[in-house]
């Protein structure tokens, strides 16, 4: 028994009113389809992916799959003129009736792993599963005269999403019946199960961010959701650091110092530097020289972390431009320099880069407006470079710790209760785990 995802990507986007089908529009540095493929490619519970496309977009889809290295995609099949026909083509490409099958719209690119987990778990006890979220609005049913006929109880209503899950044989049987019923009108595969009385459909919670891109305004909303999207820090062991070559910038104190010491304790080869050593992250020459010396000594660089940062609190009107420039140069230009120079050092061998953002990146904060702006810029930089670096096997992520007990924080906010702050060890461990993970283009949350 295998777990197979069928991605329906054959739509033409009539309602979107675009010459380019919406699944091929760019969103947060990738096509919508690529984001959807990523969700299943990276999920450990998915064994295989079948992509259903139109005849006109088959070559483009195959090119995207090839360039993106989507190893789980086993088949690209041509769909039909309707969603029902495309779903039938997808299940027709699945051999065997006992597999778990998830059917998902390609234009829902914000699908998260917990939703996939809930669907797969429910298929252990049910043959058909739908995902749904509570309706935030009152639903009204109107008649032909545009007058309200009924107002259903909102507590019993859900807004249906995908993926929908099935045992392969059940979905195959439903489509076989539908193929003999040309007058049938249903909007999804669960509707087929209910229409033919083939069983009950269990509903699991969906996710409010799992929006479907239907209208032009949806692409802008999705782009913003991607910008704000985070993943929790991993808790993987650090044994994989043994023998890895790690360069840490901003390593004289705080988080950077602990990253370096923890990596050494775990068997890594560590090169640590800071302004005290004459290495400013805003100075491309000094960063390049350090990386070249590391290559000369160790032969390669596997991991790079940039923890260097400057925070100067206070009203903007009260800051001088030297203090403003210091924050911009260190926090943003420094991230650009480290990312660029690290990529040059890794482009032939692959590797992983960690930059640092802050919880203030989502909304500027009074008395630290410049700092907040630089940290928002780091997120956008990370997301853009992830796409640029992907063909070379270089990963890049932004670490987003909540308030942490560092010397920089104490200098700006004074003494605070220890129980209200993260400790640097937790952030260092999360950073190293992120560097070792397969994530790229992600904002990695670190929370107490």
């Amino acid at each position: 028994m295998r777990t197979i995802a069928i991605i329906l990507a054959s739509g033409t986007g009539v309602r979107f009113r675009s010459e380019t089908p919406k699944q091929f529009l760019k969103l947060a540095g990738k096509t919508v389809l690529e984001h959807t493929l990523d969700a299943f490619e990276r999920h450990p519970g998915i064994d295989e992916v079948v992509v259903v496309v139109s005849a006109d977009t088959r070559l483009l889809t195959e090119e995207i799959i090839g360039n993106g290295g989507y190893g789980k995609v086993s088949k690209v099949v041509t769909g039909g003129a309707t969603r029902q026909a495309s779903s039938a083509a997808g299940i027709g490409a699945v051999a065997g009736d006992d597999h778990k099958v998830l059917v998902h719209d390609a234009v829902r690119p914000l699908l998260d792993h917990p939703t996939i987990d809930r669907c797969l778990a429910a298929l252990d006890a049910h043959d058909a599963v739908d995902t749904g979220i509570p309706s935030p609005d009152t639903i009204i049913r109107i008649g032909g005269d545009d007058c309200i006929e009924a107002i259903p109880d909102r507590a019993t209503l859900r807004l249906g999403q995908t993926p929908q899950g099935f045992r392969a044989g059940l979905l195959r049987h439903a489509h076989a019946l539908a193929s003999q019923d040309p007058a049938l009108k249903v909007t999804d595969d669960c509707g087929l199960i209910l229409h033919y009385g083939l069983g009950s459909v269990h509903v699991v919670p969906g996710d409010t961010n799992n929006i479907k891109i239907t209208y032009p305004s949806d692409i802008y909303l999705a782009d913003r959701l991607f910008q704000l999207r985070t993943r929790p820090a991993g808790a993987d062991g650090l044994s994989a650091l043994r023998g890895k070559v790690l360069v840490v910038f901003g390593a004289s104190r705080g988080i950077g110092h602990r990253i370096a010491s923890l990596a050494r304790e775990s068997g890594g080869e560590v090169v640590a530097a800071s302004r005290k050593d004459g290495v400013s992250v805003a100075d491309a020459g000094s960063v390049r020289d350090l990386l070249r010396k590391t290559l000369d000594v160790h032969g390669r660089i596997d991991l790079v972390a940039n923890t260097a940062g400057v925070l100067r609190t206070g009203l903007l009107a009260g800051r001088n431009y030297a203090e403003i420039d210091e924050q911009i140069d260190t926090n943003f230009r420094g991230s650009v320099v480290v990312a660029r120079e690290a990529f040059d050092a890794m482009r032939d061998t692959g590797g992983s880069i960690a930059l640092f953002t802050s919880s203030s990146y989502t909304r500027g904060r009074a008395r630290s407006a410049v700092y907040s702006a630089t940290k928002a810029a780091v997120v956008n930089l990370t997301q853009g470079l992830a796409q640029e670096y992907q063909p070379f096997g270089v990963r890049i992520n932004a670490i987003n710790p909540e308030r942490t007990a560092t010397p920089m924080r104490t200098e700006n906010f004074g003494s605070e209760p220890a129980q209200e702050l993260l400790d640097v060890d937790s952030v260092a461990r999360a950073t190293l785990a992120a560097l070792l993970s397969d994530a790229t283009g992600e904002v990695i949350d670190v929370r107490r």
Side-chain angles (χ1 to χ4, degrees):
M1 185 182 71
R2 294 174 63 77
T3 301
I4 303 169
I6 298 173
I7 299 178
L8 303 180
S10 58
T12 57
V14 173
R15 285 177 290 180
F16 199 82
R17 292 176 292 178
S18 170
E19 292 183 3
T20 302
K22 53 196 175 183
Q23 59 269 34
F24 299 108
L25 293 174
K26 280 295 184 73
L27 174 66
K30 298 182 180 182
T31 63
V32 171
L33 176 59
E34 286 174 284
H35 286 296
T36 303
L37 286 167
D38 286 343
F40 293 104
E41 180 75 20
R42 296 175 181 173
H43 193 285
I46 299 297
D47 300 313
E48 184 180 341
V49 177
V50 175
V51 184
V52 184
V53 300
S54 69
D56 293 339
T57 61
R58 185 184 186 99
L59 290 178
L60 174 59
T61 303
E62 290 175 344
E63 181 181 356
I64 288 172
I65 292 168
N67 290 342
Y70 294 105
K72 289 184 180 180
V73 177
S74 60
K75 298 175 184 176
V76 178
V77 300
T78 303
T82 64
R83 186 189 191 283
Q84 182 179 317
S86 293
S87 181
I91 191 62
V94 175
D97 288 342
D98 293 329
H99 307 300
K100 291 181 179 180
V101 172
L102 299 185
V103 181
H104 187 65
D105 299 323
V107 290
R108 289 188 185 270
L110 284 148
L111 175 65
D112 63 350
H113 283 189
T115 300
I116 296 175
D117 290 337
R118 290 190 290 271
C119 289
L120 295 180
L123 283 174
D124 289 334
H126 307 274
D127 290 336
V129 175
D130 201 356
T131 53
I133 58 173
S135 172
D137 301 312
T138 296
I139 303 297
I140 60 175
R141 189 175 73 231
I142 62 172
D145 58 356
D146 288 335
C147 292
I148 294 176
E149 287 186 342
I151 302 178
D153 181 3
R154 191 170 64 183
T156 66
L157 301 177
R158 296 292 183 272
L159 303 180
Q161 299 180 326
T162 63
Q164 296 178 336
F166 309 90
R167 288 293 174 177
L170 178 67
L171 185 58
R172 195 188 319 279
H173 181 46
H175 278 290
L177 294 174
S179 68
Q180 305 301 316
D181 192 354
L184 176 66
K185 290 185 179 181
V186 295
T187 58
D188 60 24
D189 296 290
C190 287
L192 291 178
I193 305 301
L194 296 175
H195 178 79
Y196 292 113
L198 300 179
S200 60
V201 178
H202 183 72
V203 179
V204 299
D207 177 58
T208 55
N209 289 332
N210 185 22
I211 65 171
K212 183 178 181 182
I213 296 174
T214 304
Y215 300 104
S217 59
D218 295 331
I219 201 79
Y220 298 106
L221 175 59
D223 195 62
R224 180 60 175 160
L225 289 171
F226 266 111
Q227 183 190 34
L228 299 177
R229 193 179 197 186
T230 63
R231 73 154 67 181
D236 298 335
L238 302 182
S239 59
L241 281 169
R242 183 167 299 279
K244 298 284 188 185
V245 179
L246 166 67
V247 179
V248 184
F249 292 94
S252 62
R253 62 180 191 169
I255 295 169
H257 181 74
R258 183 53 183 146
I259 288 174
S261 62
L262 183 58
R264 288 193 187 98
E265 293 167 11
S266 302
E269 300 288 341
V270 179
V271 176
S274 69
R275 283 177 291 186
K276 290 183 177 180
D277 307 305
V279 179
S280 167
V281 292
D283 178 9
S286 65
V287 170
R288 188 181 307 122
D289 287 346
L290 179 69
L291 294 173
R292 285 178 177 173
K293 290 176 182 177
T294 303
L295 287 173
D296 289 342
V297 173
H298 297 283
R300 71 182 194 283
I301 297 173
D302 302 300
L303 314 168
V304 173
N306 177 30
T307 68
V310 174
L311 170 62
R312 299 283 184 255
T313 55
L315 298 176
L316 182 62
R319 306 250 65 86
N320 62 57
Y321 279 104
E323 293 173 325
I324 293 170
D325 290 343
E326 182 187 22
Q327 292 184 88
I328 295 172
D329 285 348
T330 302
N331 300 347
F332 181 57
R333 177 180 166 81
S335 296
V336 172
V337 168
V338 169
R340 177 175 174 172
E341 299 301 328
F343 171 72
D344 284 345
M346 294 173 166
R347 64 185 302 156
D348 294 330
T349 57
S352 184
I353 303 166
L355 304 179
F356 267 73
T357 184
S358 157
S359 57
S360 66
Y361 88 88
T362 60
R363 184 177 181 85
R365 295 178 182 174
R367 303 186 66 82
S368 58
V370 173
Y371 178 82
S372 297
T374 61
K375 293 305 183 179
V378 169
V379 170
N380 281 276
L381 176 71
T382 300
Q383 292 170 336
L385 292 182
Q387 180 68 8
E388 292 185 23
Y389 293 176
Q390 184 180 27
F392 301 90
V394 176
R395 306 181 304 282
I396 182 168
N397 295 287
I399 310 302
N400 181 34
E402 64 178 349
R403 297 175 302 164
T404 307
T406 63
M408 185 176 75
R409 182 167 184 88
T410 301
E411 290 163 2
N412 283 275
F413 298 102
S415 179
E416 300 173 281
Q419 67 272 19
E420 295 181 3
L421 301 175
L422 266 173
D423 60 274
V424 294
D425 188 76
S426 297
V427 180
R429 289 180 181 278
T431 302
L432 291 168
L435 282 165
L436 293 168
S437 77
D438 64 354
T440 190
E442 302 275 359
V443 178
I444 309 292
D445 273 345
V446 188
R447 299 287 181 259
R448 282 179 288 129

